[in-house]
Amino acid sequence: DTEVTQTPKHLVMGMTNKKSLKCEQHMGHRAMYWYKQKAKKPPELMFVYSYEKLSINESVPSRFSPECPNSSLLNLHLHALQPEDSALYLCASSQDRVAGELFFGEGSRLTVL
Amino acid sequence: QKEVEQNSGPLSVPEGAIASLNCTYSDRGSQSFFWYRQYSGKSPELIMSIYSNGDKEDGRFTAQLNKASQYVSLLIRDSQPSDSATYLCAVNGAKGSARQLTFGSGTQLTVLP
């Protein structure tokens, strides 16, 4: 059983829709991450929250908006996405911001029509 | 030059054989090294971490690190069909920042029954 839970597992949205991806962890980890993964490629870092504060934004377009309501929750708000944004979006957590030992959720597979 | 390079694969081994997965990295200051396993359509799962030169064993898995040669490997003994997956090498830089965690492109392993 994964200790990082992501919802929804699958999402189909149009380019004008607004949707959100959600992530929850109950391991007491203080760092949480959003990664994007395209088929047959490694994960690409998007955002890092450390102690509920945004510490890294890897120049991600503003149509992706992260939010960390508390130390256990991480959201990714999606608006006006493009078809090329279709990918597997992975949430991960780690003990602290010294990254490496990441625990990934099962991912949210996003399709933008 | 890629910062973390892995055998392009795919790699096929017969059941019961030793699978050897290799990874080289370019940043001499790298301090921590990780192997993730990713089954098709699933999220990455951390299987090994190694921080100092030498071997680290965990069950059928052995990670080997040689910082002088900037080389890290993963050996899987008594390979099973259930080991068939893509294996991602990840390397973190001196400061351990999430931004410095670099994934290789992965090696796809198939264990033939």
Side-chain angles (χ1 to χ4, degrees):
Chain A
D1 287 343
T2 181
E3 296 188 69
V4 179
T5 304
Q6 288 187 244
T7 56
K9 289 186 169 41
H10 299 274
L11 179 62
V12 179
M13 60 187 290
M15 290 190 285
T16 58
N17 291 158
K18 283 185 181 180
K19 297 285 185 183
S20 297
L21 305 180
K22 297 184 184 299
C23 176
E24 187 170 10
Q25 60 93 7
H26 293 290
M27 292 181 284
H29 287 171
R30 304 317 302 246
M32 295 186 76
Y33 309 76
W34 282 113
Y35 279 86
K36 173 183 176 180
Q37 188 176 29
K38 293 277 214 178
K40 299 194 183 300
K41 297 289 187 184
E44 294 175 44
L45 182 64
M46 300 175 72
F47 302 104
V48 181
Y49 274 83
S50 176
Y51 292 86
E52 301 161 47
K53 291 190 184 340
L54 183 65
S55 63
I56 295 177
N57 176 342
E58 287 294 66
S59 303
V60 178
S62 59
R63 58 185 183 269
F64 295 91
S65 175
E67 178 194 20
C68 188
N70 60 53
S71 61
S72 300
L73 293 174
L74 187 65
N75 299 321
L76 186 63
H77 302 297
L78 314 171
H79 175 53
L81 295 193
Q82 304 296 310
E84 59 264 29
D85 297 322
S86 299
L88 181 66
Y89 287 84
L90 295 163
C91 174
S93 69
S94 67
Q95 186 70 28
D96 56 36
R97 196 168 59 87
V98 178
E101 296 194 356
L102 301 175
F103 291 81
F104 284 93
E106 292 184 346
S108 293
R109 187 161 299 282
L110 173 66
T111 302
V112 181
L113 301 176
Chain B
Q1 182 183 1
K2 288 184 183 177
E3 296 179 27
V4 177
E5 293 205 42
Q6 297 185 240
N7 311 63
S8 57
L11 174 66
S12 293
V13 299
E15 184 173 355
I18 295 175
S20 177
L21 305 165
N22 303 315
C23 175
T24 57
Y25 59 94
S26 59
D27 180 3
R28 280 199 171 275
S30 297
Q31 295 294 324
S32 45
F33 308 85
F34 310 90
W35 284 99
Y36 287 83
R37 176 177 63 199
Q38 187 169 23
Y39 292 113
S40 181
K42 302 295 185 183
S43 61
E45 174 192 10
L46 178 67
I47 55 172
M48 290 289 280
S49 308
I50 186 165
Y51 299 93
S52 52
N53 279 331
D55 294 0
K56 179 181 177 182
E57 188 174 315
D58 183 0
R60 295 185 296 110
F61 298 96
T62 299
Q64 299 175 316
L65 174 61
N66 184 325
K67 289 186 178 179
S69 301
Q70 295 174 243
Y71 176 91
V72 58
S73 65
L74 180 71
L75 301 178
I76 307 175
R77 290 183 302 282
D78 188 25
S79 295
Q80 300 297 307
S82 58
D83 295 324
S84 298
T86 295
Y87 289 80
L88 296 162
C89 172
V91 176
N92 212 338
K95 294 183 180 177
S97 162
R99 181 172 279 129
Q100 294 186 312
L101 182 68
T102 303
F103 285 90
S105 54
T107 299
Q108 186 177 339
L109 171 68
T110 300
V111 180
L112 303 169

